[in-house]
Each structure stands twice: as C-alpha cells, then as structure tokens.
Amino acid sequence: MNVKELADKLGLEIHAGKQAADRDILGGYTGDLLSDVMARINPGTAWMTIQTHQNIVAVAVLREAACISITGGHRPDRETVERAEKENMPVLLADDNSFDLCLKIADLKVL
Amino acid sequence: MASLSRTFRIQKRDFTNAGNASISVKKLLKSLNLSACVIRKVSICGYEGEMNVVMHAATDGILAFELTEKKIFLTVSDEGPGIEDIETAMQKGYSTASDEFREMGFGAGMGLHNIRENADSLHIDSTLGAGTVIRMEFNPGG
C-alpha cells in the first residue's frame, strides 16, 4: 500500500509532499521523542507523531520514512510544510490520536 | 579512490536548517552506493551531533565529513560550553536540554547514547568553557 492509498482509505488529508504520495509503506512507528524515532524507524515507515515543528521532516528524510502522520488534530507549522515540500516528504493530518490511527491501519490488514 | 571531504557550518538555535548537514551527507553516501547499514549509522550520528550543537553550543559549530578508502570520519565540534562529565552525559536518559526543547521532542537523553550505539569508533574531547569535539569513525563496508 502506498501513502496515497492509505490516506484515501482512512480519509486523511495529505497536507504536504503530495508529489511523493506514491511511496510504498512498509511498516509503522509511533513516537514523539525524535532521538527514539531516529534510532528505531526503518525506511518505508509511516511515522505517527504529535510533533509539528520542522525538525520532524529532517528526521523523516534521514531515516527515509514513507510519510509523517501528524495525529490528534495537531497542525504542522508553516516551516514544516515548506520543508516537507522541499524534501518530498508527505505529511498527513489525522484527527484521531496516534493509538486510534494505528488501530485503523491495523484494521486495513495491509502491514 | 581519493579522499572526499565536506564541511558544514551548524548554527546554534537554528532549527530551520538543523539536520541539513546530515541530510547532505546522507545524500552523498547514497549517491556513492554505500550500504543502507552504513548510511543509517552515519545519518543517526550526524543528526544527533548536529542537534547537540543546535541545542547546547554557545557558538556555531562545524560538522566535518571525510570518506577515505578505509574509513568514514565524522567530526562535530563547537566552542562551548563543554560537557562537565562525559560519562554522565553518555548515560541514556541524561540530558541538560531546556523544557522548551523537551517539548519539541528533544532532550530525551538519547543523543550521545545513539551515537555510541551507531559509531564504529567514538572519541569525545570536551573542556568546560572551551568546547566539545565528537570524533566518530565508520567502516564504509558495514
């Protein structure tokens, strides 16, 4: 499943980085401590976080995440959107909290 | 293969560009077809070193990268404030980051720990008031 398919199935807005939404999702991770995320995610991860500042894009790019999903109804900073566009990193927005979003992804039975 | 080197300035408190030096190094390694494993290690160490300068350094810092036939060298240096007790600072969970940075998801006390876990060789020199130099080496083969 790719990022666009995930967003479509769950009704998530792709707020930035649409041009890279055909990237395949190979796994998922939920975390808000950036060093933890750096150390633990693998390429192709759909990363769920409540962090909204631009440094999340650097982490996602360095670890080749498939996308960032900002959960809990939080909205990214303007700089985050600009950086995500520049680095081709899809940023999805979810009103669900991270746990509920993970449950919905699990229900899709695609990972 | 000749040696290849790059130097990047890291600005303290500059979250706009924080991570860009490491991203540049990562893209360079990827273009040279190095293994995913070594790219992962260098990316993690570069990022953590870079964030240390952004969050803690008194002045701007430098990230220096060098690739030789046998080794990758990554050196992150700044001019203060220095680390009082390196052994304590290396402990997982220990951090002197401000509340402001903790709220942003930094300051979990994992930075130096991540570096130690991922660098094939690590040496830290630090003098209070003078600065810190983190020297990391990686085996390009793995």
Side-chain angles (χ1 to χ4, degrees), chain A residues 34-35 39 53-55 64 83, chain B residues 18 20 30 47-48 104-105:
Chain A
L34 301 187
S35 286
H53 59 81
Q54 55 187 305
N55 207 254
E64 297 181 31
R83 205 161 171 186
Chain B
N20 279 353
K30 201 148 185 169
Y47 174 78
E48 297 291 4
M104 293 169 75

